[in-house]
Amino acid sequence: MILKLTRWQAEANGIRLDTTNGIMQIVFCTPRIARIRYTLDSDFSRKPSFMTVERSQSSNVQFKIIDHSDDLEISTELLMIRVNKTTCAFSYWEASGRLLTKEPPRGGKTLERTDVYRTIFDVSAGEVATDRGADGFRARAEGSNQIFDRTAYHTKLEFEWQEDEALYGLGSHEEGMMNLRGQHQYLYQQNMKAVVPALISTRGYGVLVDSYSLMSFHDDSFGSYIWTDVDDEMDFYFIYGPEFDQIIEGIRHLTGDAPMLPKWAYGYIQSKERYISQEELIDIAREYRERELPIDGIVLDWQSWTGELWGQKTLDPQRFPDPSEMMRQLHALHVKLMVSIWPIMKEGGDNHREMSEHGYLLGNQATYDAFTDGARRLYWEQVHAGLFSHGVDAWWCDCTEPFEADWTGQVKPEPEQRMLINTAEAKRYLDPEYINAYSLLHSKGIYEGQRSVTDHKRVVNLTRSAYAGQHRYGTITWSGDISANWETLRKQIADGLNFCVTGSPYWTMDIGAFFVRNQENLWFWNGDYNEGVADLGYRELYVRWFQFGAFLPIFRSHGTDTPREIWRFGEPGDLFYEALVKYLKLRYRLMPYIYSLAGAVAHRCYTMYRVLAFDYREDPRVHDIDDQFLFGPAFLVAPVTTAMYYGPNSRKLHDVRKMRQVYLPSGGWYDFWTDEHLEGGKTIDAKADLDALPLFVRAGSIVPMGSDVQHTGEQPAMLLLKVYPGQDGSFTLYEDEGDTYHYENGAYSMIEMSWDDTNHRLTIGPRIGSFPGMPEHRQFMVEIAGRAGQIVVSYQGTPVVVQSTEFKVQGRDEVL
């Protein structure tokens, strides 16, 4: 049906549009952000949004309306929206008159009424089937009835995207899609699928859809559109940048800021499936210290509870006889503990009984109802009493897409089959309008619960699912239970980039993959290395995965089938061992840089793990690059994603070139390992020996680095400031206490550093701010890439100017 505009009326911050079939509304949240709604009802929905925060609606934005003969023009100083009066087709423009995107001429918004049914379970009948699969305990209520609940809408939002534009986003999915043009994606939560319904365009805009139901994205023969399954109305935000960082700032304005994670969370986190006892955890931590291998965290995976009491949030007293003493010993080794907790609970434990008595369980009588305030509070109380009170530091909220039904069988179901199977199972227990929101509400309960107890320990929540706004609850999302093969490693690069480009900053994966072996009877257990670490082919794959992981926001190893500790891959002097140690230590030497990026995430809406289009969106050559990324403002990383030494079963490869191609965008670049200067705007062959990750630094960068340390709490005596000349540049060194929320009240410091390339001058600006324990005096050693000599600078918080002519030759290793 073609809509016609029949009447319009200016409102606070926007305009209401009456059409021949329903009403629309445009409201400006900021001069860059417009909220657009459409309904066939007489008024707009008053349901609160789980996704957005209150400030997103509170701005007083200046805008103007111009009524032309053919269209209505609504504009701020930055963004203009034109509404065709004949079809109600929207087009979006920069204020200067450049087209950003548009709907088809016939109009791009469709609402179709749909009946919503609610499932009623007969709890007294007790018809609940339980089993245990590869993904843990499952419970399914067999007896149920569906009753009519309400009428809602399928929504369809169509676009005519430009030929030269690339689209990114939608979250982390297993297919490794980079540029989403010409693609199709189902959006529902599942193991290896973490949904964030945001699209970012190289034309300089973003679209954020406020919907929690099953969605699908199309740019294929069926059209170019976003479809949602069940919504009260169409509700989305159009965000103008034009730069990606500005679009992310807009998304976080709507959905909330990302809080600081504790500094230790940016160090190395060791995990496997699974450590089984208090003694083993402490022994592993102690061996890292004895070998002088840096580590900050260790993980206690599932089944830490007693016997078969799945999901009970207390430790088995036989295997963990003194949790408080265990935490004391780990903390004495400067190692933090993350514990796996589950939303599903098996009957027989105190946690399950309490949830059941309060009526806080969903229809399967096993999964708690995260949509209920009281249930979230009780869940946290159980976590606090059983774990947090003993000193546990962080949470692994596993299986936060609690209803899955396709992890079985030899053959992987087709994508549409998987979508139907899994969403049908979720709709049995959850309102169809909210099947994608469980993890968002679950994370809210953990965050608010811990914040209610203390401000002295920052929330860390590693969770398998995600949604827009979840990042404001201290969450990290990992990519699920992936398999060990080279194809998966390559796909992970794009999966993580498309997650982080949605405004959710913290993504990680299981280094080395979760499944290492191959089980022919299970489609998802699809690794290539049945001998695990004994297979030299797996050792090579693991080293390359580890190199990639060292440049992710969160650096963690995990998986089943084979152990993951560094020494399992050899001993000192062995090729694989030394390569792993090299990148482990490099991660820690880069900690001043990495933690400063974390400060920029929290304070300036920054993104660490960056698709190349963040900084080079107008270069069409970067649009489809899916195996390179930017790590902060300085580094370009090109992981090696093919075998060069060994195949499976330790089969030695011959005549394989130890190089990989890397595209360097325009400008000057430096090889990190040699300081060789390279001109960008071209593809080069980069050295890629086993210990040589192709790694480049942008000209104009200032990279602060520390010395070798054993954990993030260890303060280097001196910081190296490595300057890469060729153009002007700057960097802000951020510091705070490392693990409190005092930074929210200003307890942090920033030092702005700038490089004047014309005059070869580095200026270390004044230190702004302070925090408890801040060192009054600092020493910086300054080095310029490609030039001999360094200079040691004594810094006391006041500006220091360093001229390159002052440098004198002295061995860096004498100081660092």
Side-chain angles (χ1 to χ4, degrees):
M1 175 184 293
I2 292 180
L3 304 179
K4 290 186 178 181
L5 181 65
T6 59
R7 181 174 175 270
W8 64 269
Q9 178 180 348
E11 299 179 326
N13 291 333
I15 186 171
R16 172 182 163 130
L17 307 170
D18 292 348
T19 80
T20 50
N21 191 34
I23 57 175
M24 299 182 187
Q25 184 184 57
I26 302 171
V27 172
F28 289 104
C29 307
T30 76
R32 296 181 185 276
I33 304 173
R35 182 187 186 189
I36 295 154
R37 296 202 281 176
Y38 174 39
T39 183
L40 304 184
D41 296 337
S42 59
D43 202 356
F44 298 102
S45 173
R46 298 184 182 276
K47 285 185 179 179
S49 169
F50 292 147
M51 180 184 298
T52 62
V53 294
E54 288 185 8
R55 72 183 181 196
S56 65
Q57 310 300 331
S58 61
S59 303
N60 185 18
V61 180
Q62 298 297 311
F63 68 97
K64 61 182 179 181
I65 303 171
I66 301 177
D67 193 346
H68 299 290
S69 58
D70 294 329
D71 59 51
L72 198 63
E73 182 180 298
I74 308 100
S75 62
T76 69
E77 59 186 298
L78 297 172
L79 174 62
M80 177 171 58
I81 302 174
R82 290 177 180 163
V83 181
N84 185 292
K85 291 182 177 180
T86 304
T87 66
C88 289
F90 282 27
S91 57
Y92 303 86
W93 306 73
E94 290 180 332
S96 62
R98 175 178 174 269
L99 176 67
L100 297 169
T101 191
K102 62 182 179 179
E103 297 174 359
R106 56 179 164 72
K109 302 180 189 68
T110 304
L111 298 179
E112 179 187 0
R113 295 190 187 275
T114 182
D115 291 339
V116 180
Y117 291 85
R118 180 161 47 92
T119 306
I120 302 298
F121 296 93
D122 184 359
V123 178
S124 62
E127 296 181 17
V128 176
T130 62
D131 63 10
R132 164 78 187 278
D135 205 20
F137 173 69
R138 286 287 180 262
R140 191 174 196 273
E142 299 297 337
S144 64
N145 294 303
Q146 284 201 325
I147 63 170
F148 175 79
D149 189 67
R150 65 191 185 279
T151 299
Y153 299 103
H154 302 311
T155 83
K156 185 176 183 179
L157 175 61
E158 299 177 76
F159 290 96
E160 286 190 351
W161 290 306
Q162 308 300 304
E163 285 188 11
D164 63 346
E165 101 180 91
L167 295 173
Y168 307 104
L170 302 182
S172 174
H173 303 268
E174 63 181 298
E175 294 85 8
M177 298 179 191
M178 187 70 264
N179 182 358
L180 297 172
R181 295 301 308 276
Q183 303 283 7
H184 168 214
Q185 185 63 265
Y186 291 114
L187 304 180
Y188 62 94
Q189 307 286 10
Q190 198 44 244
N191 196 332
M192 300 189 291
K193 290 180 75 68
V195 177
V196 187
L199 281 176
I200 312 298
S201 168
T202 53
R203 298 281 292 181
Y205 67 88
V207 175
L208 176 68
V209 181
D210 196 335
S211 171
Y212 313 91
S213 72
L214 165 67
M215 306 170 69
S216 65
F217 164 85
H218 285 265
D219 186 34
D220 53 20
S221 298
F222 294 98
S224 300
Y225 62 90
I226 301 167
W227 177 87
T228 76
D229 184 30
V230 180
D231 276 304
D232 293 332
E233 63 189 11
M234 179 180 288
D235 189 356
F236 67 97
Y237 296 85
F238 189 90
I239 306 162
Y240 170 65
E243 302 306 330
F244 277 26
D245 284 308
Q246 294 171 307
I247 299 169
I248 299 305
E249 183 179 4
I251 290 175
R252 295 203 197 140
H253 174 84
L254 295 169
T255 61
D257 295 326
M260 290 292 296
L261 302 179
K263 191 173 184 179
W264 70 261
Y266 303 98
Y268 178 61
I269 301 173
Q270 179 65 65
S271 180
K272 73 169 186 178
E273 200 264 336
R274 60 192 173 88
Y275 299 116
I276 62 171
S277 69
Q278 177 172 331
E279 181 181 17
E280 186 180 13
L281 281 173
I282 295 168
D283 285 348
I284 293 295
R286 187 175 290 121
E287 182 150 4
Y288 268 92
R289 291 289 172 250
E290 290 172 353
R291 289 175 175 262
E292 297 186 347
L293 297 173
I295 187 173
D296 267 273
I298 194 166
V299 180
L300 183 55
D301 198 357
W302 60 4
Q303 301 183 74
S304 58
W305 44 78
T306 300
E308 295 298 317
L309 296 182
W310 200 280
Q312 174 74 13
K313 294 174 283 296
T314 54
L315 301 181
D316 178 5
Q318 297 298 315
R319 294 178 291 126
F320 305 93
D322 193 339
S324 295
E325 176 60 17
M326 176 180 71
M327 293 311 307
R328 188 196 66 78
Q329 292 187 46
L330 286 174
H331 289 164
L333 292 166
H334 301 283
V335 174
K336 310 296 185 183
L337 180 66
M338 174 184 286
V339 176
S340 171
I341 55 177
W342 289 63
I344 190 168
M345 288 157 267
K346 191 172 184 180
E347 189 175 5
D350 290 342
N351 289 175
H352 181 278
R353 177 184 52 77
E354 289 177 335
M355 286 288 179
S356 180
E357 288 174 351
H358 285 84
Y360 289 157
L361 295 175
L362 294 172
N364 67 350
Q365 297 304 301
T367 304
Y368 96 102
D369 183 2
F371 293 88
T372 301
D373 293 345
R376 291 197 304 274
R377 284 194 295 270
L378 178 57
Y379 190 91
W380 168 254
E381 289 169 7
Q382 294 173 347
V383 172
H384 179 255
L387 299 168
F388 194 64
S389 63
H390 294 291
V392 171
D393 301 287
W395 315 111
W396 184 356
C397 287
D398 207 343
C399 204
T400 45
E401 61 300 289
F403 304 108
E404 57 111 91
D406 70 336
W407 268 50
T408 184
Q410 184 176 355
V411 179
K412 184 177 184 178
E414 288 299 301
E416 186 167 345
Q417 285 181 292
R418 294 194 70 198
M419 177 271 292
L420 293 171
I421 291 168
N422 288 306
T423 57
E425 185 69 8
K427 289 176 184 180
R428 287 173 58 84
Y429 308 107
L430 301 176
D431 188 315
E433 188 171 345
Y434 296 103
I435 63 170
N436 273 333
Y438 188 93
S439 180
L440 174 63
L441 275 297
H442 184 39
S443 301
K444 172 184 170 76
I446 296 293
Y447 182 81
E448 292 180 347
Q450 184 171 322
R451 289 298 305 263
S452 72
V453 173
T454 180
D455 269 354
H456 290 275
K457 184 178 285 191
R458 296 176 190 167
V459 177
V460 179
N461 177 358
L462 178 67
T463 179
R464 200 168 67 187
S465 292
Y467 217 63
Q470 186 171 296
H471 61 265
R472 65 180 179 259
Y473 300 130
T475 56
I476 306 157
T477 296
W478 97 98
S479 58
D481 296 342
I482 53 178
S483 292
N485 52 65
W486 289 96
E487 180 185 10
T488 298
L489 169 57
R490 181 186 175 99
K491 288 179 176 180
Q492 288 288 285
I493 301 170
D495 290 341
L497 288 170
N498 268 325
F499 182 85
C500 289
V501 80
T502 65
S504 302
Y506 292 120
W507 180 89
T508 185
M509 78 217 155
D510 294 346
I511 290 174
F514 185 75
F515 297 114
V516 175
R517 300 189 176 115
N518 185 281
Q519 291 199 19
E520 293 183 357
N521 61 325
L522 295 172
W523 63 263
F524 49 85
W525 210 309
N526 192 33
D528 286 344
Y529 305 93
N530 288 333
E531 300 302 317
V533 293
D535 189 328
L536 298 181
Y538 180 66
R539 293 191 182 194
E540 180 184 351
L541 175 66
Y542 188 88
V543 166
R544 296 306 195 184
W545 222 307
F546 197 87
Q547 291 170 345
F548 169 33
F551 289 88
L552 287 177
I554 306 300
F555 181 33
R556 55 177 283 280
S557 175
H558 178 66
T560 192
D561 294 332
T562 193
R564 307 299 173 105
E565 297 82 19
I566 301 293
W567 55 89
R568 311 295 185 182
F569 295 85
E571 289 294 337
D574 292 346
L575 180 65
F576 299 106
Y577 181 92
E578 292 297 338
L580 293 172
V581 171
K582 176 180 177 177
Y583 288 89
L584 178 62
K585 291 187 174 182
L586 177 60
R587 173 75 175 200
Y588 279 81
R589 290 201 64 209
L590 288 173
M591 194 54 61
Y593 174 80
I594 294 169
Y595 197 63
S596 293
L597 299 186
V601 168
H603 294 278
R604 302 203 313 269
C605 296
Y606 192 67
T607 301
M608 289 189 191
Y609 182 51
R610 302 164 70 82
V611 62
L612 296 181
F614 260 100
D615 293 26
Y616 301 98
R617 68 181 178 87
E618 295 183 346
D619 181 354
R621 290 171 292 185
V622 310
H623 289 177
D624 295 313
I625 293 177
D626 60 2
D627 61 351
Q628 299 177 202
F629 60 91
L630 301 171
F631 186 57
F635 290 99
L636 184 148
V637 188
V640 176
T641 59
T642 58
M644 295 180 175
Y645 294 84
Y646 295 96
N649 302 312
S650 301
R651 178 174 52 86
K652 193 166 185 177
L653 304 179
H654 300 280
D655 301 323
V656 179
R657 196 162 169 256
K658 309 300 191 292
M659 307 285 286
R660 73 146 285 179
Q661 288 194 326
V662 178
Y663 176 69
L664 298 178
S666 61
W669 294 89
Y670 289 83
D671 185 311
F672 175 77
W673 306 112
T674 66
D675 281 355
E676 178 188 2
H677 182 267
L678 302 161
E679 284 301 325
K682 60 185 178 182
T683 298
I684 66 166
D685 282 333
K687 181 181 177 182
D689 294 336
L690 186 67
D691 69 342
L693 167 72
L695 183 62
F696 303 90
V697 187
R698 182 163 28 190
S701 298
I702 304 168
V703 179
M705 300 175 68
S707 55
D708 286 342
V709 295
Q710 295 302 296
H711 55 88
T712 57
E714 195 175 340
Q715 281 283 358
M718 180 182 295
L719 294 186
L720 168 67
L721 303 180
K722 183 75 174 278
V723 179
Y724 294 83
Q727 65 183 54
D728 293 346
S730 64
F731 188 80
T732 302
L733 181 68
Y734 173 88
E735 296 177 292
D736 62 20
E737 293 174 279
D739 195 6
T740 74
Y741 284 100
H742 297 158
Y743 75 88
E744 293 179 338
N745 298 314
Y748 60 87
S749 72
M750 293 185 178
I751 302 172
E752 181 76 18
M753 304 170 181
S754 61
W755 171 251
D756 179 345
D757 198 63
T758 301
N759 295 300
H760 305 291
R761 179 187 299 137
L762 175 70
T763 301
I764 304 173
R767 181 164 51 198
I768 308 298
S770 65
F771 58 90
M774 182 180 75
E776 294 183 13
H777 307 286
R778 300 297 296 265
Q779 279 196 321
F780 296 115
M781 186 169 70
V782 181
E783 178 181 330
I784 298 181
R787 301 182 189 176
Q790 298 87 26
I791 185 171
V792 176
V793 176
S794 179
Y795 179 79
Q796 299 182 10
T798 56
V800 176
V801 177
V802 181
Q803 288 287 157
S804 62
T805 54
E806 302 174 25
F807 285 29
K808 25 183 202 181
V809 176
Q810 72 180 61
R812 177 172 50 174
D813 293 337
E814 295 173 16
V815 181
L816 290 182

